[in-house]
Amino acid sequence: MKMKIPHLILAGLFGTAIASHAATVEWSLAANGDWDTTTSNWNANTATYTDGDAVQFNDSATGETLVQIAIPGGTVSPASVNFTDGGAGTTQYRFTSGSINGATSVTLDAGFDGTARFNVANAYTGGTTLNSGRLMAGDANALGTGTLTLNGGTFTHVNGANRTIANDIVISGTTTVLPSNTDLALSGAISGGGTLITGSQPGAEYLSFQNDLSGFTGKIIHTNSNQNYILFNGAGSVNTTAAIETHGQTSGGRYFRLQKNATFGELSGTGGN
């Protein structure tokens, strides 16, 4: 069992020194609950949360769990937030109120098979790392202001509205990026040498790249089996050594589209009809 380590107070002849609070707390509820500083929803319902704690959510359960940040002022500032492998479950955590702030980082760990869905605007600055599972953005500012690092898993956005994600993105591994039934635009700088796979979700619309891709050296694979667009637009030209590979049907107006001058390192694929 993870134990919560309380404040440590050291007293001496010449005054009192207080060491920093340090704890790891793991969400306990399979049902909905409040993320606050008074409710024992952590560590098998034996601990409360304090700003500065390292926070974990595991995927041991199935179904959806709603998490409401219910602290006065509506913000929490944990040291970190990790979504961890807790076994055979596929928990979907949906954050429906409040905001994660501070220098916090958010990480979906390798082996996590659930979903982290942020329906709120966050302001954390430590970046977001997707290694496994599904990361869903329900707000243009869902991922705070730091870099989004894609090492694996699936990144998508929530149905209902077109969204532009302005975070810089580093593609290091192989990640699937899906628009939902509305458009998803990536407007931040994209770098790295990994592989990004797009376009396999029925009913989806545009996935658009609104930058020059000059820092990206990997591959974009357009798997167009469900008639989804991939679009290169925005200001300026595309000038990248990245490889583009496109497959699947191109009927019905769903296709790979260039709306500005573009230079790629390689263009390949089977196309469609």
Side-chain angles (χ1 to χ4, degrees), residues 8-182:
L8 176 64
I9 301 177
L10 302 176
L13 294 175
F14 303 101
T16 299
I18 302 178
S20 61
H21 179 277
T24 297
V25 292
E26 184 176 67
W27 185 256
S28 302
L29 302 182
N32 306 335
D34 290 343
W35 179 350
D36 58 27
T37 57
T38 58
T39 310
S40 298
N41 287 338
W42 309 87
N43 292 1
N45 302 115
T46 65
T48 58
Y49 164 82
T50 301
D51 275 347
D53 286 349
V55 170
Q56 296 181 355
F57 297 88
N58 72 46
D59 61 0
S60 59
T62 58
E64 183 177 66
T65 296
L66 303 184
V67 181
Q68 298 88 223
I69 295 174
I71 290 176
T75 65
V76 291
S77 298
S80 58
V81 177
N82 283 73
F83 295 86
T84 64
D85 180 10
T90 56
T91 313
Q92 179 179 140
Y93 291 99
R94 178 150 59 107
F95 295 82
T96 60
S97 65
S99 176
I100 301 173
N101 287 9
T104 307
S105 61
V106 173
T107 303
L108 281 67
D109 290 352
F112 176 72
D113 294 319
T115 298
R117 173 175 171 172
F118 294 100
N119 281 12
V120 296
N122 292 306
Y124 62 89
T125 62
T128 307
T129 301
L130 173 60
N131 295 304
S132 184
R134 179 176 287 245
L135 175 64
M136 300 182 71
D139 187 279
N141 298 306
L143 308 182
T145 61
T147 298
L148 170 61
T149 300
L150 301 178
N151 293 325
T154 298
F155 173 59
T156 185
H157 71 117
V158 178
N159 295 350
N162 297 338
R163 286 191 175 84
T164 298
I165 302 299
N167 302 71
D168 290 345
I169 297 175
V170 176
I171 303 171
S172 299
T174 298
T175 298
T176 299
V177 176
L178 300 175
S180 187
N181 65 350
T182 49

